[in-house]
Amino acid sequence: MADIEARLRSLLSLNQAIVGHIHLHSVLREIVESAVDLVGARYGAIGVLGADGAIVDFVHVGIDERTAARMGHPPRGRGLLGAIVSESVRVDHVAADPRFTGFPAHHPHMDSFVGVPIRVREEMFGNLYLAEHPDGHFTEEDTELLRSLAVTAGIAIEKARLYESARMRERWAAATAEVRAVFLEVDDERPYRLLAEHLPTLTGAALVAIITSTERGTVRLQIVRGDAMARQLESVELPGHDRVARALLSTGATVLPEVALPTFEGETVRFGDAFVVSLGGQDGADVGVLLARHLRERPFSDDDIRRTTALASVADLAGELSRARADRHRLALLEDRGRIARDLHDNVIQRLFAAGMQLQVVSAGVDDPRVGERLSVQIDALDEAIAEIRTAIFALQHDDVGGVTLRDRIVDVVGEYRALLADPPRLVFRGPVDHDVPADLAPEAAAVVREALSNVVRHARASHAEVRVEVRDGRIVIEVGDDGRGLDPARERRSGLSNLQARAEARGGTFTLTPRPGGGTLAAWSVPLAAPAAASDDDTSRQEADT
């Protein structure tokens, strides 16, 4: 009787601890740990069931993370685990039960077992599993205590789900409001950047990428957010036969059970559950958003997909409005530029030309050679001014206006790192950066600046950084310098630096990392503005096979 009273007191104490949590994952872990303490089991777990009855989330105690990783995918809720539907299951020897289908490799030995269902109101939420009782078997009393604990667990889970649902609705509403707030802006990429920045937090995705089709029939991962693994994929292109590329051409959302994406280094990064939401697109190009989780993480829920689709539609509408507004702004600006170009050509150049002709006439009648030389210098200066004005007229008539320029992209990237250094990074542009850099190279140049600054922040221990972007001799040169601790021989090949090297080599360019005079490091990335020669058919097929 004393033992029973002690266990009941323990049950009451554990019930109070469980209902004290409001975050769902904390509630689930508290339930498992409480159940293990209550009956003295060595192992415990909760399997959260999906709509099809399969386990979609698995919280366990007693098995370390390294062993769990070696075991692979969590149980799917079949065999003996799938038998816990409406009633509890208790067996003394798991392997002797006819419903047992075997353990996966590296699974620890388990013999005695008990499982009870957990319900939230009338809904089947999941199952509570306990294994390995110190006495070799679980008793009916153990099962009754676990059933009582499961009732409290259902109440606590319902409260936590309501709380998290309210918090999540609030976050989605705030993200939607922020995206809608850019309806009045001209930058048509900003809605997609906001979408990519919000979705990792809202959905728990390890990778979020805005993907666009290209004229070459490939798909580019244009705006990438997520963890360090995801950042390696900025500006990567996928062949048209890739599953992600095919999903982009579908309507609505396409679920992919697993995706494998190539990095610039030729390695393959694998993700688990993923989906692609196809959007309206711009200028004939298809646009979509790709979300993926890490391997072994629970799949995206229907709510995740539905809410992402709705937010992506808002971002797409904002992008359409921005493009329409930009088009009107571009037409008005082109009209102003045309008028200015005509005035320069018809009035200013003609007057300068006439003044130069008059000076030549005067110079011919001057006897003093020194005066003649000074007049010749002024005539040459007028000729140079006329040439510069003609260049300006050409630029007014041919430069693109509106849209997101390479300068805009790099200014945005540098702005992301302003708060991460003692002083904001210094930014210098030289040469016709916006005019000469092709459109397909601009996103990659911005990705290079982001990767280089990320390495400065994470490894250099620098206070100051400087970014120089220059176009000269048919090349774009990006230099990122810092005043940090310099090169570390022990970390000669970081993944970010290898990524910069691979990006340069893919375009026939170079990447160097050298010490700066006075301390620090200078990263220099240079590629030709013209695309490298197309690969042969054999090379192309081999690259696609590797992908």
Side-chain angles (χ1 to χ4, degrees), residues 11 15 21 38 59 87 94 96 117 130 132 149 152 167 186 198 205 223 233 236 250 262 265 398 469 477 507 531 546:
L11 176 62
N15 286 341
H21 291 275
L38 185 63
V59 180
E87 297 296 333
V94 171
L130 284 300
E132 287 299 281
L149 187 68
T152 304
R167 288 288 303 276
V186 178
H198 280 299
I223 302 173
L233 302 171
V236 161
S250 303
E265 297 175 306
H398 294 86
V469 182
V477 180
R507 287 186 168 270
D546 291 341

Side-chain angles (χ1 to χ4, degrees), residues 18 20-29 48 57 59 125 155-173 201-204 293 298 301 303-304 306-307:
I18 290 172
H21 291 275
I22 58 175
H23 295 287
L24 183 57
H25 197 272
S26 299
V27 170
L28 298 179
R29 180 159 291 278
V48 181
D57 196 9
V59 180
F125 176 81
I155 297 172
I157 289 170
E158 180 182 30
K159 183 182 75 171
R161 290 171 75 180
L162 289 173
Y163 173 77
E164 292 205 352
S165 177
R167 288 288 303 276
M168 190 55 67
R169 283 197 299 271
E170 181 182 342
R171 291 172 185 165
W172 281 97
T201 303
L202 294 173
T203 65
R293 291 196 189 277
R298 68 176 180 84
S301 66
D303 277 346
D304 289 332
R306 177 179 56 79
R307 286 171 170 169

Side-chain angles (χ1 to χ4, degrees), residues 206-528:
L207 165 68
V208 175
I210 304 300
I211 54 178
T212 60
S213 62
T214 69
E215 296 178 353
R216 297 182 297 279
T218 61
V219 168
R220 178 191 292 272
L221 278 64
Q222 190 148 335
I223 302 173
V224 178
R225 297 292 184 271
D227 57 16
M229 182 185 298
R231 287 197 296 271
Q232 300 179 52
L233 302 171
E234 182 85 39
S235 299
V236 161
E237 290 192 13
L238 307 175
H241 62 74
D242 187 273
R243 289 192 305 160
V244 172
R246 294 200 303 269
L248 178 62
L249 302 178
S250 303
T251 303
T254 302
V255 177
L256 306 171
E258 185 175 321
V259 293
L261 303 171
T263 69
F264 276 93
E265 297 175 306
E267 299 176 353
T268 299
V269 181
R270 297 189 179 279
F271 292 89
D273 187 58
F275 67 93
V276 175
V277 175
S278 180
L279 304 177
Q282 54 178 320
D283 300 329
D286 296 290
V287 178
V289 57
L290 164 67
L291 281 78
R293 291 196 189 277
H294 283 308
L295 290 167
R296 301 187 72 251
E297 288 189 353
R298 68 176 180 84
F300 290 103
S301 66
D302 291 340
D303 277 346
D304 289 332
I305 298 175
R306 177 179 56 79
R307 286 171 170 169
T308 298
T309 303
L311 184 59
S313 299
V314 173
D316 196 39
L317 177 59
E320 288 289 344
L321 291 175
S322 295
R323 286 190 288 274
R325 190 174 294 106
D327 287 342
R328 291 196 298 272
H329 176 73
R330 185 179 295 111
L331 287 174
L333 196 55
L334 285 174
E335 290 179 359
D336 285 343
R337 285 188 168 195
R339 177 181 54 78
I340 293 170
R342 288 193 300 272
D343 288 344
L344 287 174
H345 181 271
D346 296 341
N347 297 318
V348 178
I349 286 184
Q350 300 306 323
R351 290 183 180 180
L352 290 175
F353 186 75
M357 293 291 293
Q358 291 293 331
L359 287 176
Q360 285 180 337
V361 172
V362 173
S363 176
V366 172
D367 296 330
D368 190 338
R370 289 177 300 176
V371 175
E373 183 178 352
R374 293 178 64 181
L375 288 173
S376 297
V377 169
Q378 296 306 313
I379 292 170
D380 292 340
L382 286 175
D383 287 341
E384 290 180 5
I386 292 172
E388 290 177 1
I389 292 175
R390 282 176 173 162
T391 301
I393 292 173
F394 178 83
L396 286 171
Q397 293 175 332
H398 294 86
D399 270 6
D400 186 24
V401 292
V404 181
T405 65
L406 176 57
R407 291 174 190 258
D408 295 333
R409 293 176 186 270
I410 293 179
V411 167
D412 287 344
V413 171
V414 172
E416 296 174 12
Y417 292 88
R418 290 176 61 88
L420 301 179
L421 293 166
D423 292 328
R426 183 168 180 260
L427 182 57
V428 178
F429 292 100
R430 292 187 182 279
V433 172
D434 291 331
H435 185 270
D436 287 2
V437 176
D440 65 324
L441 181 54
E444 191 157 334
V448 167
V449 173
R450 177 180 285 108
E451 190 71 57
L453 284 176
S454 176
N455 275 284
V456 170
V457 170
R458 287 184 290 144
H459 304 298
R461 298 180 184 174
S463 300
H464 310 281
E466 180 177 277
V467 178
R468 288 181 173 271
V469 182
E470 182 176 0
V471 169
R472 63 171 184 259
D473 301 328
R475 301 177 72 86
I476 179 172
V477 180
I478 298 175
E479 296 180 342
V480 179
D482 64 75
D483 63 350
R485 59 180 179 177
L487 296 175
D488 183 358
R491 300 191 63 182
E492 200 171 83
R493 297 303 297 170
R494 301 188 189 111
S495 61
L497 301 181
S498 300
N499 197 25
L500 292 172
Q501 179 76 39
R503 287 180 185 274
E505 292 176 351
R507 287 186 168 270
T510 59
F511 171 71
T512 59
L513 192 68
T514 56
R516 288 181 73 190
T521 307
L522 179 66
W525 190 87
S526 174
V527 299

Side-chain angles (χ1 to χ4, degrees), residues 60-82:
H60 60 84
V61 296
I63 300 177
D64 61 87
E65 292 301 325
R66 183 177 180 182
T67 303
R70 295 176 66 194
M71 287 163 50
H73 197 281
R76 301 183 184 276
R78 303 188 180 98
L80 184 60
L81 299 186

